[in-house]
Structures are given as C-alpha cells and as structure tokens.
Amino acid sequence: LPHDAMALAHEHGRLRRNFQGYTTDAADFLLGLGASAIGRLPDGYVQNEVVIGRWAEAVEAGRLPVAKGYALSEDDRLRADLIERVMCDFRVDLGRVFGAHRRVPDLAAFPGLARLEADGVIRRDGTAIEVADDARDLVRAVAAAFDAYLGTSGRSHSRTV
C-alpha cells in the first residue's frame, strides 16, 4: 500500500536489503543467531558453525560460535552499495555511489552494462543507470553486472533467471 513503511522507504530511496530480504532497517549490523547463520558487520561477514553440535558446544562453552569470516575490501563495499541501490531503487547513480567512496566513476569496470543497455534492460543517463519498467524482473541480472565474485566459485546460491 502507498502508506506502508516499505513503499515509503522505496519512494524516498531509503529501502535496504540484507540476508532477510528487503527492509526499512538502516542498521549497519545484522547478527545471525543459530547454526549456520550469517551476520553482517561494517567490516565484513561472519558465519556461525554449520554443524549444530559444534555450534552448541561453542555456545555452551561461552565462545562465539563463529566458524569463518570475510573482511570486505573497499571495492567490495563499493560494489555492495551499487547492488543494493539497483536492487532497491531499480536505478543507481554510479557517480553518486563512487563519490561517496571517494572514487572516480568507471563504467568500463562493468562491461556487462553495455549488453544490458543494448538489450533494452537498462537506460543510461550520464553516470546513472535505470532498469526499464518492462525489465524489472531482470533486476538481478543488472545487479550481477556489479558482482565481482559471481561465477568465480563454481557454485551459485540463486540464479538471476
């Protein structure tokens, strides 16, 4: 509904996205509770023990049940912001996001955008790109153009199409 908090956040460019899905919560921390849970911190990600027995042993011993973590690079943070904005707003101003990271916009770093533009999935206006209204179902493909890790592990959690 137009007065819903999610609709208002989308309308005002404040919609966010995390492991739980879309949210109005602007917190920089997402704590994962339970076996295999993933948390996000400003500096990176942490994942709890996947095996319930190991997770329970750590908790019972008073230790954090974290099994692994990943520290975000500056490039990771930039790309995460680009992906979040395009997924939440169906548009992203690369100039604005790059500027917030004190970097000069480099559209050449994302060669997949040219194909998406040629196919009519996105439109470019200066450093801004917008997902075409009739292509919003393909927003994951647009986000994938910013993902430096997509296809590098040989595994895929969710596919774009």
Side-chain angles (χ1 to χ4, degrees):
L1 298 172
H3 62 278
D4 180 78
M6 296 280 270
L8 291 172
H10 172 71
E11 180 181 334
H12 297 289
R14 293 190 317 261
L15 192 61
R16 302 287 309 270
R17 207 166 171 277
N18 62 33
F19 291 115
Q20 304 300 310
Y22 291 93
T23 182
T24 60
D25 185 355
D28 290 331
F29 293 83
L30 176 65
L31 299 179
L33 303 175
S36 82
I38 299 173
R40 167 109 195 251
L41 309 169
D43 291 331
Y45 298 96
V46 293
Q47 182 176 17
N48 289 345
E49 289 285 356
V50 174
V51 177
I52 292 174
R54 283 195 290 228
W55 174 85
E57 285 175 14
V59 170
E60 288 171 9
R63 296 188 320 267
L64 288 176
V66 173
K68 58 185 170 181
Y70 178 80
L72 293 170
S73 70
E74 288 302 317
D75 190 60
D76 292 335
R77 286 185 183 90
L78 170 76
R79 289 171 181 271
D81 287 349
L82 292 168
I83 290 168
E84 183 174 53
R85 292 294 25 108
V86 79
M87 292 290 294
C88 291
D89 303 336
F90 297 107
R91 73 177 317 277
V92 60
D93 185 335
L94 279 74
R96 182 176 293 154
V97 175
F98 270 77
H101 287 264
R102 296 184 179 104
R103 290 178 54 187
V104 176
D106 180 12
L107 292 172
F110 311 108
L113 293 177
R115 174 68 188 256
L116 291 165
E117 185 176 23
D119 289 344
V121 174
I122 63 169
R123 290 183 297 274
R124 273 201 267 190
D125 181 13
T127 61
I129 64 160
E130 184 168 0
V131 179
D133 289 342
D134 63 350
R136 286 186 167 188
D137 289 345
L138 300 174
V139 70
R140 284 181 176 269
V142 178
F146 299 115
D147 190 338
Y149 300 101
L150 191 64
T152 61
S153 71
R155 295 173 47 191
S156 174
H157 177 68
S158 78
R159 297 184 181 266
T160 59
V161 181

